[in-house]
Amino acid sequence: MEAAQAGDAQAYRLVLGEAQAWLRRFFLKRLPPSMVDDAVQDTLMAVHEKRHTFDPSQKFGPWIAAIARYKWIDRLRAARRTQTTLLDETVAVGDHEEQVTTAHALEKLLAQLKPGPAEAIRLVKLQGLSIEEAARRTGQSATLVKVNIHRGLNRMSTLVMGGNDGE
Amino acid sequence: MVNDPLIERFVTDLRPVRRRSLWRDALTLTVLAGVEIGAVLGFGLMRPDMPHAMHMMSFWWKAIGLLLIVGLGGASALVSLDPTRSPRQGLRRLGVTAVVLFALGWLVDALQAGPEALWLRLDPAHGMVCAREIVELALPAVLALGVIVRRGAPVDVRGTAWVTGIAGAAFGALVFALACPFDDPLYLVVWYSLACALVACGTRLVLPWLIRW
């Protein structure tokens, strides 16, 4: 990083590549998979913008870990602002039911979701599995399955409201 | 790799940077502080009875106390611009310093002769003017610190905002102390604290929006 601060592009590419791999592991342990890429990208941008604050007499690990932790807390705060409660497994899409009645339309909607939420909705809402069964089947935690269902249904609602339901 | 194009963009964008130095930031602030104090003295705003005031215990209590808070607050703010450092320890030290200063104030108060009516001693008409002027004098310090804070990488933005506000406010009060003819510790504790609290709270509310990164 010290070389990168002096303008060494090769060293910078190397340090960012290693940082990216480390950050991916860091965020995978702490965030839903759908949020990991954004968090890694956001943190790398912060590292780039604040690289002048790194003190070469200190270790690089704690420095980037502190930035990653800051970005992680930022993500959690943002998620808390946008998502107040998790819906339980009996939740329905409510007013939009009529618009998603056919299996064809539903599949088109699911195809527009990220893989995690789409799979969670298919297993729990369409195939009738419990949250725990879906969690075992997908390798996700039960909480993450609930979060994915909630997000997926929200996204589907938005798509239907916006008339972008593939019809 | 999802972020590879991003890394390439950063590498292409790479320019040598001047490393942040705590000492350079501290020196910049000290110079700016000197300019503000020089301006106040240069405009002839120093209290006319300064030679007399310098023999009073309460003047030194006021000046040294504020200088301590400026130093502790400023140092905590600058240290917290390193993402691996927190301003919380500095905030705790500031809290202890303020309590000790208040206690010393009462001691100084008890040693000074002449019990007067509380209202007369508080002198709200002048007190409000003092508080307003302290707020005005603190603004350049808070702005200068704010600019430096924006360049840093504070991870506890609220804590950094608090110490920045406290340091700026205490500096405003310190500059004002050179012009203020009031030395009654009760008056100082009430009006100076009010002004400092206003600046610190204002900074705490505004600065986090400007330094989030």
Side-chain angles (χ1 to χ4, degrees):
Chain A
M1 191 62 180
E2 188 178 358
Q5 283 178 323
D8 183 337
Q10 203 55 40
Y12 197 39
R13 184 177 289 112
L14 188 70
V15 82
L16 285 185
E18 285 183 10
Q20 184 189 41
W22 184 84
L23 287 169
R24 190 173 296 283
R25 289 196 299 275
F26 177 89
F27 287 120
L28 267 171
K29 285 182 203 160
R30 292 163 175 85
L31 291 172
S34 60
M35 293 171 81
V36 169
D37 279 345
D38 282 351
V40 171
Q41 207 164 357
D42 199 19
T43 311
L44 285 177
M45 283 172 77
V47 166
H48 181 65
E49 278 172 25
K50 301 291 180 182
R51 63 190 187 279
H52 64 278
T53 66
F54 173 67
D55 178 358
S57 66
Q58 306 293 318
K59 286 183 178 167
F60 180 67
W63 183 78
I64 196 170
I67 294 177
R69 188 172 171 277
Y70 171 64
K71 290 295 172 187
W72 169 53
I73 292 170
D74 237 19
R75 294 264 148 194
L76 294 181
R77 284 200 183 115
R80 215 176 69 179
R81 276 198 296 273
T82 53
Q83 172 193 320
T84 49
T85 48
L86 294 177
L87 299 182
D88 65 24
E89 58 182 295
T90 58
V91 71
V93 288
D95 294 338
H96 311 303
E97 276 178 340
E98 281 180 20
Q99 291 156 285
V100 288
T101 43
T102 66
H104 175 69
L106 200 55
E107 269 309 313
K108 279 201 164 185
L109 279 170
L110 287 172
Q112 293 181 62
L113 302 183
K114 288 186 176 172
E119 193 181 6
I121 290 172
R122 271 198 196 94
L123 291 174
V124 176
K125 296 297 169 194
L126 301 183
Q127 295 179 22
L129 267 62
S130 71
I131 296 286
E132 287 70 28
E133 286 168 334
R136 273 197 298 278
R137 179 96 55 104
T138 59
Q140 301 171 355
S141 68
T143 310
L144 185 55
V145 171
K146 285 182 186 176
V147 170
N148 274 331
I149 291 172
H150 176 57
R151 290 219 177 100
L153 291 176
N154 273 348
R155 175 77 183 134
M156 285 166 76
S157 295
T158 311
L159 289 170
V160 172
M161 295 277 271
N164 187 18
D165 55 354
E167 291 297 331
Chain B
M1 285 290 213
V2 178
N3 289 309
D4 277 352
L6 185 73
I7 290 179
E8 283 312 311
R9 187 157 71 78
F10 289 154
V11 170
T12 312
D13 187 38
L14 183 67
R15 301 281 176 277
V17 285
R18 191 167 74 161
R19 227 169 271 144
R20 177 183 169 263
S21 152
L22 192 142
W23 296 109
R24 192 171 50 235
D25 288 345
L27 186 68
T28 307
L29 286 174
T30 308
V31 169
L32 290 173
V35 168
E36 188 169 337
I37 290 173
V40 166
L41 300 182
F43 284 118
L45 296 174
M46 190 169 73
R47 58 190 288 183
D49 64 338
M50 185 59 97
H52 169 69
M54 290 177 77
H55 293 290
M56 294 179 68
M57 203 193 309
S58 53
F59 173 81
W60 290 110
W61 167 75
K62 173 169 73 169
I64 293 172
L66 288 170
L67 198 61
L68 265 176
I69 295 178
V70 171
L72 270 176
S76 306
L78 291 180
V79 163
S80 76
L81 304 188
D82 178 340
T84 59
R85 306 288 291 275
S86 165
R88 297 285 158 180
Q89 192 184 32
L91 272 172
R92 279 192 290 273
R93 283 180 185 157
L94 276 170
V96 172
T97 307
V99 170
V100 170
L101 286 174
F102 283 174
L104 279 174
W106 281 306
L107 189 66
V108 171
D109 197 25
L111 292 174
Q112 290 197 160
E116 297 164 23
L118 193 67
W119 191 249
L120 280 176
R121 286 180 63 195
L122 277 178
D123 194 355
H126 284 108
M128 298 292 275
V129 176
C130 282
R132 198 199 68 221
E133 291 187 12
I134 287 173
V135 171
E136 288 169 4
L137 285 166
L139 289 180
V142 171
L143 282 175
L145 257 171
V147 170
I148 287 174
V149 166
R150 262 181 71 84
R151 253 184 66 78
V155 292
D156 182 352
V157 288
R158 292 174 186 171
T160 298
W162 273 124
V163 285
T164 301
I166 292 168
F171 179 71
L174 178 65
V175 175
F176 183 70
L178 300 174
C180 176
F182 293 91
D183 290 306
D184 184 339
L186 178 70
Y187 178 94
L188 299 178
V189 163
V190 172
W191 297 113
Y192 279 43
S193 300
L194 176 71
C196 289
L198 279 174
V199 175
C201 291
T203 310
R204 161 63 186 86
L205 288 176
V206 176
L207 199 59
W209 295 99
L210 303 175
I211 62 176
R212 194 159 285 286
W213 50 286

